[in-house]
Amino acid sequence: MTICLRSWLTKPSTRLGKDVAYSTAGLEHLVGCMPGNMWARWSLLPAFDMQHGRAGTLLAWFDHVSLIRSVFETQPGEDWLRVIDSHWFENTKLVRTNPKTVVWAPDQLDEVDAINLWTHLHDRERERSQAQFGIREEPPQVVISHNQWVNFRYATTYEKTLELCAELGVDYMFVDPPWEHMEAFRSTLE
């Protein structure tokens, strides 16, 4: 089956089988393993789940935006995908489980139809979440991001990115907090 899951660590569409290890928490590559990575829905992970294959199409979505963090994973030899959703109640005033709707259709989708359906669901979820919080649609913003974890020099690392932002008329430039990882901190201290 193919999972459609656009996140910052995964390709938009990934074919899974019994010989494939897959994890949004980085567990399939132990060298890059990041323990505790349960990514937030509506930010680093989409608000919905989508899988498709010969048996049909499976979709799942939550009824409203809430503090949910999730991991998707499978290991070699398994013919299933685990979706682990954790509701983080300690940061909310109201404690209740957010219902999750799961639907299956026998329809087989090709790659183009799958990405089109994913995009439609993504747009629908954006509209629903904006309505939940009363957020108006605004003109698109242009954002450039720059992450640098080696050879980091606070005074000079972002110079070319700033020049590019100015040239393109970028609205925002995003940089990782520069001392959030030890390599940048060590380089700066040196």
Side-chain angles (χ1 to χ4, degrees):
M1 65 100 153
T2 300
I3 182 171
C4 294
L5 180 67
R6 294 180 187 174
S7 76
W8 75 290
L9 285 177
T10 60
K11 297 183 280 187
S13 184
T14 304
R15 181 100 175 122
L16 300 179
K18 283 190 174 186
D19 59 337
V20 175
Y22 176 84
S23 174
T24 55
L27 300 177
E28 75 280 15
H29 306 292
L30 294 180
V31 173
C33 182
M34 297 175 265
N37 279 348
M38 294 189 75
W39 304 122
R41 297 288 190 146
W42 296 277
S43 63
L44 295 174
L45 288 177
F48 60 93
D49 307 332
M50 180 177 163
Q51 304 169 38
H52 66 97
R54 289 189 306 267
T57 304
L58 183 73
L59 301 172
W61 61 85
F62 295 95
D63 292 355
H64 60 273
V65 178
S66 59
L67 295 171
I68 297 175
R69 298 206 172 221
S70 302
V71 170
F72 295 76
E73 64 183 20
T74 187
Q75 295 298 319
E78 298 176 345
D79 60 355
W80 60 85
L81 178 70
R82 275 180 296 285
V83 179
I84 303 161
D85 295 315
S86 175
H87 299 249
W88 288 25
F89 296 128
E90 66 271 12
N91 294 322
T92 187
K93 295 178 183 176
L94 178 63
V95 177
R96 71 177 186 193
T97 299
N98 187 350
K100 187 174 187 180
T101 301
V102 180
V103 296
W104 172 82
D107 302 1
Q108 293 184 16
L109 302 177
D110 64 23
E111 293 302 312
V112 173
D113 287 339
I115 294 299
N116 285 340
L117 177 58
W118 190 97
T119 302
H120 172 75
L121 292 170
H122 177 70
D123 291 347
R124 184 194 75 165
E125 288 301 313
R126 185 190 72 245
E127 290 166 3
R128 284 178 12 138
S129 63
Q130 287 176 331
Q132 181 179 329
F133 294 105
I135 299 171
R136 291 187 336 247
E137 188 71 33
E138 295 186 7
Q141 303 287 309
V142 178
V143 179
I144 287 186
S145 134
H146 181 164
N147 297 341
Q148 184 159 339
W149 287 26
V150 294
N151 301 322
F152 174 83
R153 298 290 178 260
Y154 193 78
T156 59
T157 293
Y158 302 118
E159 286 179 349
K160 289 183 181 177
T161 307
L162 281 169
E163 290 171 11
L164 178 64
C165 288
E167 184 179 329
L168 297 175
V170 168
D171 298 301
Y172 299 98
M173 182 176 113
F174 172 82
V175 298
D176 263 351
W179 291 291
E180 286 294 316
H181 52 85
M182 293 310 295
E183 175 61 25
F185 186 64
R186 183 191 60 75
S187 296
T188 303
L189 288 178
E190 287 177 356

